[in-house]
Amino acid sequence: MKLNKLMTAVAIATLSTTVLTANAASNYADFPITVKDYAGDKKSSISYGGQIARHVLHTSLMKLSKTGNGAANPELLAQMQAYFSGKETGRAILSPASQEGFTIAQTNVDELSKGKNLAGKTYKGAVAGWPGNKTGVEVLEFLIEKAASSDAGFDYINGMDYPQLISKFAMGAIFYNQAVDNYLDEKLAADVKPNDKPYKDGAPYTGKEHVWDEAFGYFGAPINAAGLDANEAYSIAKGKKEIFAKADLNANGKIDLDTEMLYAHAYYAAGADKAGKSNYLNEITQAFVDGRQIITDAKGEKLSDDQRSQLLAKADFIKTNWELVIAEAAFKYAGSVYSDALKLQAGVEENTDVKADFKKYIHHWGELKGFSMALQTGGKDLGEFSVKLNRLIGFSPVLLGNTQVTGLDDKGNYVQSSSISLNEFALHMLKVQKALADRYPLKARLNDQSEKLAALAEKLGSGKSTEND
Amino acid sequence: MDSFFQQYWSDLTSLFSNSQQRLYWGYLVCAIIIAALYSLKKQPKQLKASISNALGLPHWLSRSARADYQLIIINKAIYLLCNPILIGKLSIATLIFELMHQWLGQRPVESDIPSWIIISAFTAFIFIFDDFARFYTHKLMHQIPWLWEFHKTHHSATTLTPLTVLRTHPVEGLLFAIRSAFVQGISIGVFVFLFADKVDLYTVLKVNVLVFIFNVAGANLRHSHISIRYYRAIENIFISPAQHHIHHSTAPRHFNKNYGAILAIWDKCFNCHCYSEDKPLSFGLSKNQNGNEQSLQKLYLAAFVNSYKIIKAQLGGCPRKD
Ligand SMILES: [Zn+2]
């Protein structure tokens, strides 16, 4: 009888632990103030408003980049520059904006943080994937200038979709670069921004707390993203009213852009996870929550060696998986460009109207190009892998006359040269997918063009190869 | 090292537990049932004798059969070590898939052909292509002198049991693996290029359905003491166990006949087809058995020595012209 009771107790204990572990996902919220002798009236030590301000500067800039009328447009250019490099107050949040049944709390960038811009935080290294030997900042300035005089974001002569190029590259050159090459890298060193001092005088957070918050802010996830379903996360970013009640975490009837919205790579993490093969959004966010807990547990003292190595392990996990999210997106769009190029070639040969197909093709190429350049802004030298990637993808897609952009002239105009066929370019896309899959342990592998080859090879087995007849 | 032995053991046991293998226990049971029924037909109302004849226990203990077992056990280790250096079918499939883009200039993007037709076509194509490749390499193994030295290891069997299917010189085994990689790689590459995601294989127990039928229909009797014969009309299309026994016969008039694995049509095409006969046969390289023919040294090393001599003689026979 006693034994029975004991067994029941053990069973219940096991069961409840399992339930607890299953619900381990917690919010990036409610971390108390640990700074010694803090005298202010703040209750929370969390702060990453500057990063969210940059997210909405980015989304607003992308929105503007789609509004060109096909001619030189100094007004639009000035407006875009204000979002990229300006610091003035009064800039409206153009996106995300309220939709029917999906009200957004903030309408002005200043409500999130004042005096922020993107240019100041953009990758300063050289960008090999773009012509003209430019730095990250210069590439974005160049793209913004071109976008201002584009036809609703497009340049059909050179095969450019500027909103995609700007947005996908900026996410890497700003958010990813800042987080993985700065905040989760040198700023985690013991003697930089120590945990036993406030980040700056009078701040309610320690050096390390704020460094970690800023990295989390750049990832672009809502505070509950560790436990958020990928499809729901996607709906939130799209502003779907069905998800509003669930997205409005504090039930104030509005979506707060700093805690309840999805941006940048957090959104693309959800995009990969929707296929059900990966779990980037939850896992990366959980690592951020865990890392923040390690810092909070130090209670305003310097991190011990043990705490610091635990924190660095979380940072490594985040960096690795963040890179995978970008690689997954590049992989997916290489697959799209592959199909688009073949479809286009077929259309050209059959003499059908290919205008819509062409637009889709350069749109997907713009995504691919942007993500592939972003991949190279993480602050580590990818060596011949990036050379290979840049050569295969090119400075533009292969255009209908089998030409491709190969450089810029001294006035910054594109120079085109004769190149390979659309068909061969499609083959390049297979090689891009292969190069990415060889380098990264990708899980989602969307639009995998060689998947069927591997699946059949597996299915055929190898049993009878050694039979002798 | 531990993992090597684990892998080795699992490879060895999977010969009988994996339905992709000819020696899968289910196929062996099928073969015994068919053999017993065949014996029963020949000697009606003698069920016990028929079953015992089907099992043929004495054959399993012969000197030749014991050599089979030794070869299987040693070869498995050799294959496991050589595995990583072999080019895989996936590399070949990928290469073909990429080359098709360049050769054909255009890939058919969407086809209206129903999937069941494409899947049936792929299932049949790979079955026929693989069978032809087996026939043709087998023919070469007999006709090219230095290759015959390696194939002799298989033909030196004087009693046939289902396990004789794996009595193979490792060099021949590697050639088979390469053949298989090419057949499968080419088939996959071409079909995926043409029909993309619609390509698939009809399988039963993870095996091509056509191969499964062959296995269930007594494939293991090809190497056995039970000479099942088919009607002549059928022996024109499918190789019967008795026809394969002719391939192993020591009678000179049977030499270089019936190379086929499943289909007899290839032998028909290449004029090496021979119908089965209702006469007892003896198996092996020649009527006069050499004393040490079943020794491991002979089975493994003789082929290297002899093929070296043959190649050297051939090279020496035609002096270089500069
Ligand atoms: Zn033979």
Side-chain angles (χ1 to χ4, degrees), chain A residues 338-339 342-343 345-347 349-350 421 423-424 426-427 430-431 434 448-469, chain B residues 20-22 79 89-90 97-98 101-102 105-107 126 130 134 138 151 154 165 167-168 172 176 179-180 184 188 192 196-197 199-201 222-223 244 261:
Chain A
Y338 170 84
S339 313
L342 292 177
K343 202 166 175 201
Q345 169 108 355
E349 279 172 23
E350 286 154 25
S421 69
N423 219 10
E424 286 168 280
L427 201 51
L430 291 183
K431 291 179 178 159
K434 182 161 192 315
D448 187 349
Q449 298 296 340
S450 315
E451 187 180 29
K452 199 73 210 185
L453 297 173
L456 283 173
E458 172 82 27
K459 191 162 187 178
L460 282 168
S462 59
K464 43 199 205 85
S465 70
T466 51
E467 292 167 8
N468 203 325
D469 292 296
Chain B
Q20 296 180 324
Q21 301 282 351
R22 174 85 61 87
Y79 295 148
K89 57 188 156 186
L90 185 55
F97 182 63
E98 291 180 1
H101 285 80
Q102 284 162 354
Q106 193 186 320
R107 186 179 176 198
I126 202 157
D130 187 55
R134 279 160 187 272
H138 189 188
H151 190 46
H154 180 63
V165 78
R167 179 193 178 108
T168 305
E172 194 183 15
F176 288 165
R179 176 202 66 205
S180 215
Q184 299 191 355
I188 295 171
V192 171
D197 281 355
V199 187
D200 210 338
L201 187 72
R222 294 162 55 78
H223 295 113
H244 192 65

Coordinates of all heavy atoms in Angstrom, one line a residue, chain A residues 338-339 342-343 345-347 349-350 421 423-424 426-427 430-431 434 448-469, chain B residues 20-22 79 89-90 97-98 101-102 105-107 126 130 134 138 151 154 165 167-168 172 176 179-180 184 188 192 196-197 199-201 222-223 244 261:
Chain A
Y338 N 14.9 30.2 -59.4 CA 15.1 29.1 -60.3 C 13.9 28.8 -61.1 O 13.9 28.8 -62.3 CB 15.5 27.8 -59.5 CG 15.5 26.6 -60.3 CD1 16.6 26.2 -61.0 CD2 14.3 25.8 -60.3 CE1 16.5 25.0 -61.7 CE2 14.3 24.6 -61.0 CZ 15.4 24.2 -61.7 OH 15.4 23.1 -62.5
S339 N 12.7 28.7 -60.4 CA 11.5 28.4 -61.1 C 11.1 29.6 -62.0 O 10.6 29.4 -63.2 CB 10.3 28.2 -60.1 OG 10.7 27.3 -59.1
L342 N 13.1 29.7 -65.3 CA 12.7 28.6 -66.3 C 11.4 29.0 -66.9 O 11.2 28.8 -68.1 CB 12.6 27.3 -65.6 CG 13.9 26.6 -65.1 CD1 13.6 25.4 -64.4 CD2 14.8 26.4 -66.3
K343 N 10.5 29.5 -66.1 CA 9.2 29.9 -66.6 C 9.3 31.1 -67.6 O 8.7 31.1 -68.7 CB 8.3 30.4 -65.4 CG 6.8 30.3 -65.7 CD 6.0 30.4 -64.5 CE 4.6 30.5 -64.8 NZ 3.8 31.0 -63.8
Q345 N 12.0 31.8 -69.4 CA 12.6 31.2 -70.6 C 11.6 30.6 -71.5 O 11.5 30.8 -72.7 CB 13.7 30.2 -70.2 CG 14.2 29.4 -71.4 CD 15.7 29.8 -71.8 OE1 16.2 30.8 -71.2 NE2 16.3 29.1 -72.7
A346 N 10.7 29.8 -70.9 CA 9.7 29.1 -71.6 C 8.7 30.1 -72.3 O 8.4 30.0 -73.5 CB 8.9 28.2 -70.7
G347 N 8.4 31.2 -71.6 CA 7.5 32.2 -72.1 C 8.2 32.9 -73.3 O 7.5 33.2 -74.3
E349 N 10.4 31.8 -75.3 CA 10.5 30.9 -76.5 C 9.1 30.7 -77.1 O 9.0 30.5 -78.3 CB 11.1 29.5 -76.1 CG 12.6 29.6 -76.0 CD 13.2 28.4 -75.5 OE1 12.6 27.3 -75.5 OE2 14.4 28.5 -75.0
E350 N 8.1 30.8 -76.3 CA 6.7 30.6 -76.9 C 6.1 31.9 -77.2 O 5.0 32.0 -77.7 CB 5.8 29.9 -75.9 CG 6.1 28.4 -75.7 CD 5.7 27.8 -74.4 OE1 4.8 28.4 -73.7 OE2 6.3 26.8 -74.0
S421 N 22.6 32.4 -70.4 CA 21.1 32.3 -70.7 C 20.3 32.2 -69.4 O 20.9 31.9 -68.3 CB 20.8 31.1 -71.6 OG 21.1 29.9 -70.8
N423 N 18.4 30.0 -68.7 CA 18.4 28.6 -68.3 C 19.7 28.3 -67.4 O 19.6 27.6 -66.4 CB 18.5 27.8 -69.6 CG 17.7 26.5 -69.5 OD1 17.0 26.3 -68.5 ND2 17.9 25.7 -70.4
E424 N 20.8 28.8 -67.9 CA 22.0 28.6 -67.1 C 22.0 29.4 -65.8 O 22.5 28.9 -64.8 CB 23.2 29.1 -67.9 CG 23.6 28.1 -69.1 CD 24.6 28.8 -70.0 OE1 24.2 29.5 -70.9 OE2 25.8 28.5 -69.9
A426 N 19.3 29.7 -64.1 CA 18.5 28.8 -63.3 C 19.4 27.8 -62.6 O 19.3 27.5 -61.4 CB 17.4 28.1 -64.1
L427 N 20.4 27.3 -63.4 CA 21.3 26.4 -62.9 C 22.2 27.0 -61.7 O 22.5 26.3 -60.8 CB 22.2 25.9 -64.0 CG 22.9 24.6 -63.9 CD1 22.0 23.5 -63.5 CD2 23.6 24.3 -65.2
L430 N 20.4 26.6 -58.5 CA 20.6 25.3 -57.9 C 21.9 25.3 -57.1 O 22.0 24.7 -56.0 CB 20.6 24.2 -59.0 CG 19.4 23.9 -59.7 CD1 19.6 22.7 -60.7 CD2 18.2 23.6 -58.8
K431 N 22.9 25.9 -57.7 CA 24.2 25.9 -57.1 C 24.2 26.8 -55.8 O 24.9 26.5 -54.9 CB 25.3 26.3 -58.1 CG 25.5 25.3 -59.1 CD 26.5 25.6 -60.2 CE 26.7 24.5 -61.2 NZ 27.3 24.9 -62.4
K434 N 22.7 24.7 -53.2 CA 23.6 23.7 -52.8 C 24.7 24.3 -51.9 O 25.0 23.7 -50.8 CB 24.3 23.0 -54.0 CG 25.2 21.9 -53.6 CD 25.5 20.9 -54.8 CE 26.2 19.7 -54.3 NZ 27.3 19.9 -53.3
D448 N 13.0 23.9 -52.0 CA 14.2 23.1 -52.3 C 14.0 22.4 -53.7 O 13.2 21.6 -53.8 CB 14.4 22.1 -51.2 CG 15.7 21.3 -51.3 OD1 16.3 21.5 -52.4 OD2 16.0 20.6 -50.4
Q449 N 14.9 22.8 -54.6 CA 14.8 22.3 -56.0 C 15.4 20.9 -56.1 O 15.2 20.2 -57.1 CB 15.3 23.3 -57.0 CG 14.6 24.6 -57.0 CD 13.2 24.5 -57.4 OE1 12.8 23.6 -58.1 NE2 12.4 25.5 -57.1
S450 N 16.3 20.5 -55.2 CA 16.9 19.2 -55.3 C 16.4 18.2 -54.3 O 16.9 17.1 -54.3 CB 18.4 19.4 -55.1 OG 18.9 20.4 -55.8
E451 N 15.4 18.6 -53.6 CA 14.8 17.8 -52.5 C 14.4 16.4 -53.1 O 14.6 15.4 -52.5 CB 13.6 18.5 -51.9 CG 13.0 17.9 -50.7 CD 11.9 18.7 -50.2 OE1 11.2 19.4 -51.0 OE2 11.6 18.7 -49.0
K452 N 13.7 16.5 -54.2 CA 13.2 15.3 -54.8 C 14.3 14.3 -55.2 O 14.1 13.1 -55.1 CB 12.4 15.6 -56.1 CG 11.4 14.6 -56.5 CD 10.2 14.5 -55.6 CE 9.7 13.1 -55.6 NZ 8.4 13.0 -54.8
L453 N 15.4 14.8 -55.6 CA 16.6 13.9 -56.0 C 17.0 13.1 -54.8 O 17.1 11.9 -54.8 CB 17.7 14.8 -56.5 CG 17.6 15.6 -57.8 CD1 18.8 16.5 -58.0 CD2 17.4 14.7 -59.0
A454 N 17.1 13.8 -53.7 CA 17.6 13.2 -52.4 C 16.5 12.2 -51.9 O 16.9 11.1 -51.5 CB 18.0 14.2 -51.4
A455 N 15.3 12.7 -52.0 CA 14.2 11.8 -51.5 C 14.1 10.5 -52.3 O 14.0 9.4 -51.7 CB 12.9 12.6 -51.6
L456 N 14.3 10.6 -53.6 CA 14.2 9.4 -54.4 C 15.4 8.5 -54.2 O 15.3 7.3 -54.1 CB 14.1 9.7 -55.9 CG 12.7 10.1 -56.3 CD1 12.7 10.6 -57.8 CD2 11.7 9.0 -56.2
A457 N 16.6 9.1 -54.0 CA 17.8 8.4 -53.8 C 17.7 7.6 -52.5 O 18.0 6.4 -52.4 CB 19.0 9.3 -53.7
E458 N 17.1 8.2 -51.5 CA 16.8 7.5 -50.2 C 15.8 6.4 -50.4 O 16.0 5.3 -49.9 CB 16.3 8.6 -49.3 CG 15.8 8.1 -47.9 CD 16.9 7.9 -47.0 OE1 18.0 8.6 -47.1 OE2 16.8 7.0 -46.1
K459 N 14.8 6.7 -51.1 CA 13.7 5.7 -51.3 C 14.2 4.4 -52.0 O 13.7 3.3 -51.7 CB 12.5 6.3 -52.0 CG 11.3 5.5 -52.0 CD 10.1 6.4 -52.3 CE 8.8 5.6 -52.1 NZ 7.6 6.3 -52.4
L460 N 15.1 4.6 -53.0 CA 15.5 3.5 -53.8 C 16.4 2.5 -53.0 O 16.5 1.4 -53.3 CB 16.3 3.9 -55.0 CG 15.4 4.4 -56.2 CD1 16.2 5.1 -57.2 CD2 14.6 3.3 -56.8
G461 N 17.0 3.0 -51.9 CA 17.7 2.2 -51.0 C 19.0 1.6 -51.7 O 19.3 1.9 -52.9
S462 N 19.7 0.7 -51.0 CA 20.9 0.2 -51.6 C 21.0 -1.3 -51.5 O 22.0 -1.9 -51.7 CB 22.1 0.9 -51.0 OG 22.1 0.6 -49.6
G463 N 19.9 -1.9 -51.0 CA 19.9 -3.3 -50.7 C 20.5 -4.2 -51.7 O 21.4 -5.0 -51.5
K464 N 20.0 -4.1 -53.0 CA 20.3 -5.2 -53.9 C 21.6 -4.9 -54.7 O 21.9 -5.7 -55.7 CB 19.1 -5.5 -54.8 CG 18.5 -4.2 -55.3 CD 17.1 -4.6 -55.8 CE 16.6 -3.6 -56.9 NZ 17.0 -3.9 -58.2
S465 N 22.4 -3.9 -54.4 CA 23.5 -3.6 -55.3 C 24.5 -4.7 -55.3 O 25.3 -4.8 -56.2 CB 24.1 -2.2 -54.9 OG 24.7 -2.4 -53.7
T466 N 24.7 -5.4 -54.2 CA 25.8 -6.4 -54.1 C 25.3 -7.8 -54.5 O 26.1 -8.8 -54.4 CB 26.4 -6.4 -52.8 OG1 25.4 -6.6 -51.8 CG2 27.2 -5.2 -52.5
E467 N 24.1 -8.0 -55.0 CA 23.6 -9.3 -55.4 C 24.3 -9.8 -56.6 O 24.5 -9.0 -57.5 CB 22.1 -9.3 -55.6 CG 21.3 -9.0 -54.4 CD 19.9 -8.7 -54.7 OE1 19.5 -8.8 -55.9 OE2 19.2 -8.3 -53.8
N468 N 24.7 -11.0 -56.6 CA 25.4 -11.6 -57.8 C 24.5 -12.5 -58.6 O 23.9 -13.4 -58.0 CB 26.6 -12.3 -57.3 CG 27.6 -12.4 -58.5 OD1 27.3 -12.5 -59.6 ND2 28.9 -12.3 -58.1
D469 N 24.3 -12.3 -59.8 CA 23.4 -13.1 -60.6 C 24.2 -14.0 -61.6 O 25.0 -13.5 -62.3 CB 22.4 -12.3 -61.3 CG 21.4 -11.7 -60.3 OD1 20.7 -12.4 -59.6 OD2 21.5 -10.4 -60.1
Chain B
Q20 N 14.6 -4.8 -48.3 CA 15.2 -4.4 -49.5 C 16.3 -5.4 -49.9 O 16.9 -5.3 -51.0 CB 15.8 -3.0 -49.3 CG 14.8 -1.9 -49.1 CD 15.4 -0.5 -49.0 OE1 16.4 -0.4 -48.4 NE2 14.7 0.5 -49.5
Q21 N 16.5 -6.4 -49.1 CA 17.5 -7.4 -49.3 C 16.9 -8.7 -49.9 O 15.8 -9.1 -49.5 CB 18.3 -7.7 -48.1 CG 19.0 -6.6 -47.4 CD 20.3 -6.2 -48.1 OE1 20.8 -6.9 -49.0 NE2 20.9 -5.1 -47.7
R22 N 17.6 -9.3 -50.8 CA 17.1 -10.5 -51.4 C 16.9 -11.6 -50.4 O 16.0 -12.4 -50.5 CB 18.1 -11.0 -52.5 CG 17.8 -12.4 -53.1 CD 16.9 -12.3 -54.3 NE 17.3 -11.5 -55.4 CZ 18.1 -11.9 -56.4 NH1 18.5 -13.2 -56.4 NH2 18.5 -11.1 -57.3
Y79 N 33.2 -4.0 -47.5 CA 32.2 -3.0 -48.0 C 32.0 -1.8 -47.1 O 32.0 -0.6 -47.5 CB 30.9 -3.6 -48.3 CG 30.9 -4.6 -49.4 CD1 30.0 -5.7 -49.4 CD2 31.8 -4.6 -50.5 CE1 30.0 -6.7 -50.3 CE2 31.8 -5.5 -51.4 CZ 30.9 -6.6 -51.4 OH 30.9 -7.6 -52.4
K89 N 24.9 7.8 -55.5 CA 23.9 8.0 -56.6 C 23.4 9.4 -56.6 O 23.0 9.9 -57.6 CB 22.8 7.0 -56.5 CG 22.1 7.0 -55.1 CD 21.1 5.9 -55.0 CE 20.9 5.6 -53.5 NZ 20.1 4.4 -53.3
L90 N 23.4 10.0 -55.4 CA 22.9 11.4 -55.3 C 23.8 12.3 -56.1 O 23.3 13.2 -56.8 CB 22.7 11.8 -53.9 CG 22.0 13.1 -53.7 CD1 20.7 13.2 -54.4 CD2 21.9 13.5 -52.2
F97 N 21.0 15.8 -63.5 CA 20.0 16.9 -63.4 C 20.5 18.2 -63.9 O 19.8 18.9 -64.6 CB 19.5 17.0 -61.9 CG 18.4 17.9 -61.6 CD1 17.2 17.8 -62.2 CD2 18.7 19.0 -60.8 CE1 16.1 18.7 -61.9 CE2 17.6 19.9 -60.5 CZ 16.4 19.7 -61.0
E98 N 21.7 18.6 -63.5 CA 22.3 19.8 -63.9 C 22.7 19.8 -65.4 O 22.5 20.7 -66.1 CB 23.5 20.2 -63.0 CG 23.1 20.5 -61.6 CD 24.3 20.9 -60.7 OE1 25.5 20.9 -61.2 OE2 24.1 21.1 -59.5
H101 N 19.9 20.5 -67.8 CA 19.6 21.9 -68.1 C 20.4 22.4 -69.2 O 19.9 23.2 -70.0 CB 20.0 22.7 -66.8 CG 19.0 22.6 -65.7 ND1 19.0 21.5 -64.8 CD2 17.9 23.4 -65.3 CE1 18.0 21.6 -63.9 NE2 17.4 22.8 -64.2
Q102 N 21.7 22.0 -69.3 CA 22.5 22.5 -70.4 C 22.3 21.8 -71.7 O 22.2 22.5 -72.7 CB 24.0 22.3 -70.0 CG 24.4 23.4 -68.9 CD 25.7 23.0 -68.2 OE1 26.2 21.9 -68.3 NE2 26.2 23.9 -67.4
G105 N 18.4 22.8 -72.9 CA 18.1 24.2 -73.1 C 16.9 24.7 -72.4 O 16.7 25.8 -72.1
Q106 N 16.0 23.7 -72.1 CA 14.7 24.1 -71.4 C 14.2 23.0 -70.6 O 14.2 21.9 -71.0 CB 13.7 24.6 -72.5 CG 12.5 25.3 -71.9 CD 11.5 25.6 -72.9 OE1 11.8 26.0 -74.0 NE2 10.2 25.4 -72.5
R107 N 13.7 23.3 -69.4 CA 13.1 22.3 -68.6 C 11.6 22.5 -68.7 O 11.1 23.6 -68.5 CB 13.5 22.5 -67.2 CG 13.1 21.4 -66.3 CD 13.6 21.5 -64.8 NE 13.0 20.5 -64.0 CZ 12.9 20.5 -62.7 NH1 13.4 21.6 -62.0 NH2 12.4 19.5 -62.0
I126 N 13.0 2.2 -64.1 CA 14.2 1.9 -63.3 C 14.3 0.3 -63.1 O 15.4 -0.2 -63.1 CB 14.1 2.6 -61.9 CG1 15.5 2.7 -61.3 CG2 13.1 2.0 -61.0 CD1 15.6 3.8 -60.3
D130 N 17.7 -1.2 -64.7 CA 18.5 -1.9 -63.7 C 18.7 -3.3 -64.2 O 19.9 -3.8 -64.1 CB 17.9 -1.8 -62.3 CG 18.8 -2.4 -61.3 OD1 19.9 -1.9 -61.2 OD2 18.4 -3.4 -60.6
R134 N 22.3 -5.0 -65.1 CA 22.8 -6.2 -64.5 C 23.2 -7.3 -65.5 O 24.3 -7.9 -65.4 CB 21.7 -6.9 -63.6 CG 21.6 -6.2 -62.3 CD 20.2 -6.5 -61.7 NE 20.1 -5.8 -60.5 CZ 20.5 -6.2 -59.3 NH1 21.0 -7.5 -59.2 NH2 20.5 -5.5 -58.3
H138 N 27.1 -8.4 -66.2 CA 27.3 -9.8 -66.0 C 28.0 -10.4 -67.3 O 28.9 -11.2 -67.2 CB 26.0 -10.5 -65.7 CG 26.1 -11.9 -65.3 ND1 25.0 -12.7 -65.2 CD2 27.2 -12.6 -65.0 CE1 25.4 -13.9 -64.8 NE2 26.8 -13.9 -64.7
H151 N 34.9 -12.8 -61.4 CA 33.6 -13.4 -61.3 C 33.6 -14.9 -61.0 O 32.7 -15.5 -60.6 CB 32.9 -13.1 -62.7 CG 31.4 -13.5 -62.7 ND1 30.5 -13.1 -61.7 CD2 30.7 -14.2 -63.6 CE1 29.3 -13.6 -62.0 NE2 29.4 -14.3 -63.2
H154 N 32.4 -16.3 -57.8 CA 30.9 -16.6 -57.7 C 30.7 -18.0 -58.3 O 30.0 -18.8 -57.8 CB 30.1 -15.5 -58.4 CG 28.6 -15.8 -58.3 ND1 27.9 -15.9 -57.2 CD2 27.8 -16.0 -59.4 CE1 26.6 -16.1 -57.5 NE2 26.5 -16.2 -58.8
V165 N 24.0 -15.9 -53.5 CA 23.8 -14.7 -54.2 C 24.8 -13.6 -53.7 O 25.1 -12.7 -54.4 CB 22.3 -14.2 -54.0 CG1 22.1 -13.6 -52.6 CG2 21.9 -13.2 -55.0
R167 N 27.9 -14.6 -52.7 CA 29.3 -15.1 -52.9 C 29.9 -14.3 -54.0 O 29.7 -14.7 -55.2 CB 29.2 -16.6 -53.2 CG 30.5 -17.3 -53.4 CD 30.3 -18.7 -54.0 NE 31.6 -19.3 -54.3 CZ 32.0 -20.4 -53.6 NH1 31.3 -20.9 -52.6 NH2 33.2 -21.0 -53.9
T168 N 30.6 -13.3 -53.7 CA 31.1 -12.4 -54.7 C 32.5 -11.9 -54.3 O 32.7 -11.7 -53.1 CB 30.2 -11.1 -54.7 OG1 28.8 -11.5 -54.9 CG2 30.6 -10.1 -55.8
E172 N 34.3 -7.3 -57.5 CA 33.1 -7.4 -58.3 C 31.9 -6.7 -57.5 O 31.1 -6.0 -58.1 CB 32.7 -8.9 -58.5 CG 31.6 -9.0 -59.6 CD 31.2 -10.5 -59.8 OE1 31.5 -11.3 -58.9 OE2 30.5 -10.7 -60.8
F176 N 29.6 -3.7 -58.9 CA 28.1 -3.7 -58.8 C 27.6 -2.4 -58.1 O 26.6 -1.9 -58.6 CB 27.6 -4.9 -58.0 CG 27.8 -6.2 -58.7 CD1 27.7 -7.4 -58.0 CD2 28.0 -6.3 -60.0 CE1 27.8 -8.6 -58.6 CE2 28.2 -7.5 -60.7 CZ 28.1 -8.7 -60.0
R179 N 27.8 0.3 -60.6 CA 26.7 0.1 -61.6 C 25.3 0.6 -61.0 O 24.6 1.4 -61.7 CB 26.6 -1.4 -61.9 CG 25.4 -1.7 -62.9 CD 25.0 -3.2 -62.7 NE 24.5 -3.4 -61.4 CZ 24.5 -4.6 -60.8 NH1 25.0 -5.7 -61.4 NH2 23.9 -4.8 -59.6
S180 N 25.1 0.2 -59.8 CA 23.8 0.6 -59.2 C 23.7 2.1 -59.1 O 22.6 2.7 -59.3 CB 23.8 -0.1 -57.9 OG 22.5 -0.5 -57.6
Q184 N 20.7 4.2 -60.8 CA 19.7 4.9 -60.0 C 19.9 6.4 -60.2 O 18.9 7.2 -60.4 CB 19.8 4.6 -58.6 CG 19.6 3.1 -58.3 CD 19.4 2.7 -56.9 OE1 19.6 3.5 -56.0 NE2 19.1 1.4 -56.6
I188 N 17.0 8.9 -61.7 CA 16.5 9.9 -60.8 C 16.7 11.3 -61.5 O 15.8 12.1 -61.6 CB 17.1 10.0 -59.4 CG1 16.8 8.7 -58.7 CG2 16.7 11.2 -58.6 CD1 17.6 8.5 -57.4
V192 N 13.4 13.5 -62.6 CA 13.1 14.7 -61.8 C 13.2 15.9 -62.7 O 12.5 16.9 -62.6 CB 14.0 14.8 -60.6 CG1 13.9 16.1 -59.9 CG2 13.7 13.7 -59.6
A196 N 9.7 16.8 -62.3 CA 9.8 17.4 -61.0 C 9.2 16.6 -59.9 O 9.5 15.5 -59.7 CB 9.2 18.8 -61.1
D197 N 8.3 17.3 -59.1 CA 7.8 16.7 -57.9 C 6.9 15.5 -58.1 O 6.5 14.8 -57.2 CB 7.1 17.7 -57.1 CG 8.1 18.6 -56.3 OD1 9.3 18.3 -56.4 OD2 7.6 19.6 -55.7
V199 N 7.4 12.8 -59.7 CA 8.1 11.5 -59.8 C 8.0 10.8 -58.5 O 8.2 11.4 -57.4 CB 9.6 11.7 -60.2 CG1 10.3 10.3 -60.4 CG2 9.8 12.6 -61.4
D200 N 7.7 9.6 -58.5 CA 7.8 8.7 -57.3 C 7.9 7.3 -57.7 O 7.9 7.0 -58.9 CB 6.5 9.0 -56.5 CG 6.8 8.8 -55.0 OD1 7.8 8.1 -54.7 OD2 6.1 9.3 -54.1
L201 N 8.0 6.4 -56.7 CA 8.2 5.0 -57.0 C 7.0 4.2 -56.3 O 6.7 4.5 -55.2 CB 9.5 4.6 -56.4 CG 10.1 3.2 -56.6 CD1 10.5 3.1 -58.1 CD2 11.2 2.9 -55.7
R222 N 16.8 -19.2 -57.5 CA 17.8 -19.1 -58.6 C 19.1 -19.7 -58.1 O 19.8 -20.4 -58.9 CB 18.1 -17.7 -59.0 CG 16.9 -16.9 -59.6 CD 17.1 -15.4 -59.5 NE 18.4 -15.0 -60.1 CZ 18.6 -14.9 -61.4 NH1 17.7 -15.1 -62.3 NH2 19.8 -14.6 -61.9
H223 N 19.4 -19.5 -56.8 CA 20.6 -20.2 -56.3 C 20.0 -21.2 -55.2 O 19.8 -20.8 -54.1 CB 21.5 -19.2 -55.6 CG 22.2 -18.2 -56.6 ND1 21.9 -16.9 -56.6 CD2 23.0 -18.4 -57.6 CE1 22.6 -16.3 -57.5 NE2 23.3 -17.2 -58.2
H244 N 18.8 -20.3 -64.7 CA 20.0 -19.7 -64.0 C 20.9 -20.9 -63.6 O 22.1 -20.7 -63.6 CB 19.6 -18.9 -62.8 CG 20.8 -18.1 -62.3 ND1 21.4 -17.1 -63.1 CD2 21.5 -18.1 -61.2 CE1 22.4 -16.6 -62.4 NE2 22.5 -17.2 -61.3
A261 N 19.1 -11.4 -65.2 CA 18.8 -11.5 -63.8 C 17.3 -11.8 -63.6 O 16.9 -12.9 -63.1 CB 19.1 -10.2 -63.1

